[in-house]
Amino acid sequence: MFKLLLGRAGSGKTTAVLDRMCRAGRERPQVLLVPEQQSHETERALCAAGGPQASLYAEVLSFSRLSSRIFQMAGGLGVEELEPGGRLLLMYRAVQNASPKLTVYSRPSRRPSFLTALLATADELKSCCVSPELLIRAGEEAPGPEGDKLRDLGLIFGEYEALTAQTALDPRDRLTRAAEKLRSCGWARGKDLWLDGFTDFTPQQGELLRLLMVQSESMTVTLTCDHLEEDEGGTGIFSPARRTANTLLRLAKEERVPCEVERLAPSATGKAEPLVHLEGTLFAEETPAPVPCGGAVELFQAASPRSEVEWTAARILQLVREENLRFRDIGVAARSYGTYQDLVESVFGRYGVPVFSSAMTDILEKPVLALVTAALDITAGDTATMTSSAI
């Protein structure tokens, strides 16, 4: 059984999934698949919904952890995989091996940026299940420089695949290997699978989901959209989710898996009416009628990003002091957090507002490591200067 659970933001999809998992856990094992960055919070939410016994019948997995579970049953968990540096070196070797047969890249650059771009292209091709043979065939059929470039990429990636087969496997092939193992081991048999928090899936993930929906007792996928009919020309706010829903339904029909679609009605219980109105009309084509905000929605026009952050910090202090909120109950979101991160950390610290920045940072940017790497660069530069002077 394959089921789609549809609803707008805040309609209770995640809550419904957790409640149904806890009820069905008495009958069979439950597996909740979420994006990598949501796994920790979802585990906490599952424990809060199901209590301490939830881990006895349910677990939260990401796609990477799912592949590890499959390898544990079918074998392959101990297979050596390439690290980022190894991938870069192997791509350099692949370009060198293929260079006599290349046209566009007959004199390839040795710069790491060029090799990094090739690896990024290889990752995209792997996620879309495009093989080197398909690239070469497309290059032969396409005229002009575009065809030559496709053919060259196919030859380079073919050499890269051959080298990984001789040394260590590419980590971007984990899901493909997991799908191959799943065909023989039946890891999902007797389990209920739930997928929450996704907007779309890559073709590589789709092939794994195809096998999982056949093996599992049931699969339920939540998507943020109000209906499946496309009435926004494919460019609406819910259009990506609708395309994903139609793709999953097509996969289920191809595998002759029974399908069902359930729509959750928006619930305004416990929510501020102006925010509910804003969510429903923000991206509407027609001009909505104005409603009183009642302080739930405020607009502030600042002269600079620093002014924005200072106003936000002052407003947070006001909420804590006058409305008895706690700092951990308040979140700050920005479209491009990189522009605001340094300002937030400095201004909030000056205002006495504790802040946790949920953003990845390069470890080499830390002060101590930056000092070490700078010293190494200076030493290497001096050595290079002395060597050139001696020559």
Side-chain angles (χ1 to χ4, degrees), residues 1-248:
M1 168 64 75
F2 174 73
K3 185 173 185 177
L4 281 176
L5 191 59
L6 307 181
R8 296 178 70 99
S11 59
K13 299 183 295 298
T14 300
T15 302
V17 165
L18 295 176
D19 291 343
R20 297 177 189 186
M21 285 180 64
C22 295
R23 291 198 301 267
R26 304 171 184 174
E27 302 176 6
R28 63 182 69 91
Q30 308 291 305
V31 177
L32 177 56
L33 197 61
V34 297
E36 196 85 34
Q37 66 273 16
Q38 296 182 14
S39 58
H40 177 64
E41 289 298 325
T42 306
E43 286 176 346
R44 295 182 59 184
L46 177 61
C47 292
Q53 297 82 16
S55 60
L56 299 177
Y57 57 81
E59 65 176 338
V60 178
L61 300 177
S62 60
F63 270 103
S64 60
R65 291 174 63 189
L66 171 65
S67 61
S68 297
R69 291 287 189 275
I70 296 173
F71 293 148
Q72 284 178 351
M73 174 176 285
L77 188 61
V79 175
E80 186 177 2
E81 293 183 348
L82 290 169
E83 296 181 353
R87 297 183 72 219
L88 199 67
L89 292 174
L90 226 58
M91 180 58 74
Y92 174 76
R93 179 73 178 275
V95 172
Q96 295 299 315
N97 291 349
S99 58
K101 298 175 287 186
L102 302 181
T103 304
V104 178
Y105 301 115
S106 58
R107 299 181 62 184
S109 171
R110 296 186 180 183
R111 294 180 178 273
S113 57
F114 172 72
L115 300 176
T116 302
L118 284 179
L119 284 175
T121 305
D123 293 345
E124 188 73 19
L125 293 171
K126 287 176 182 292
S127 67
C128 295
C129 299
V130 178
S131 65
E133 292 77 16
L134 286 176
L135 275 180
I136 295 174
R137 193 182 312 154
E140 293 173 349
E141 296 174 357
E146 292 81 5
D148 294 337
K149 183 175 290 188
L150 288 174
R151 177 181 169 277
D152 284 6
L153 290 175
L155 292 172
I156 292 173
F157 295 149
E159 288 287 342
Y160 180 77
E161 293 287 305
L163 290 172
T164 55
Q166 299 171 7
T167 54
L169 297 180
D170 194 314
R172 299 300 185 272
D173 291 326
R174 282 179 65 88
L175 293 182
T176 302
R177 291 166 46 216
E180 295 173 355
K181 297 287 186 180
L182 191 61
R183 290 185 174 90
S184 58
C185 75
W187 173 85
R189 291 194 182 100
K191 294 183 174 71
D192 288 334
L193 301 183
W194 309 77
L195 286 85
D196 185 42
F198 294 96
T199 302
D200 55 10
F201 301 97
T202 65
Q204 191 181 37
Q205 294 170 340
E207 288 302 311
L208 188 58
L209 293 179
R210 181 198 296 270
L211 298 173
L212 290 172
M213 70 172 60
V214 172
Q215 286 189 9
S216 62
E217 190 72 20
S218 68
M219 175 184 284
T220 303
V221 180
T222 67
L223 290 173
T224 303
C225 61
D226 44 3
H227 53 78
L228 293 179
E229 297 75 19
E230 182 55 72
D231 54 1
E232 298 177 296
T235 59
I237 189 67
F238 296 128
S239 294
R242 293 189 185 113
R243 287 193 291 268
T244 301
N246 291 323
T247 300
L248 293 174

Side-chain angles (χ1 to χ4, degrees), residues 251-321:
L251 290 178
K253 290 178 181 178
E254 290 176 356
E255 299 297 332
R256 299 181 180 180
V257 177
C259 302
E260 181 181 343
V261 179
E262 179 182 351
R263 296 173 177 84
L264 295 181
S267 174
T269 304
K271 300 178 181 178
E273 184 62 30
L275 289 178
V276 175
H277 177 77
L278 181 64
E279 188 276 330
T281 59
L282 181 61
F283 297 100
E285 294 183 359
E286 63 276 3
T287 303
V291 297
C293 292
V297 179
E298 300 179 22
L299 294 178
F300 174 73
Q301 184 175 0
S304 64
R306 175 173 288 276
S307 299
E308 291 183 64
V309 177
E310 290 177 343
W311 181 87
T312 303
R315 189 73 177 92
I316 290 174
L317 288 179
Q318 183 181 7
L319 292 173
V320 172
R321 292 169 180 173

Side-chain angles (χ1 to χ4, degrees), residues 327-368:
F327 285 118
R328 69 179 185 181
D329 298 329
I330 302 173
V332 178
R335 178 181 294 273
S336 179
Y337 188 62
T339 306
Y340 293 89
Q341 183 173 356
D342 293 339
L343 287 173
V344 167
E345 293 177 354
S346 62
V347 172
F348 278 37
R350 181 157 47 86
Y351 276 70
V353 178
V355 60
F356 166 73
S357 295
S358 179
M360 295 182 64
T361 58
D362 188 354
I363 191 173
L364 295 179
E365 295 179 359
K366 301 300 180 182
V368 175

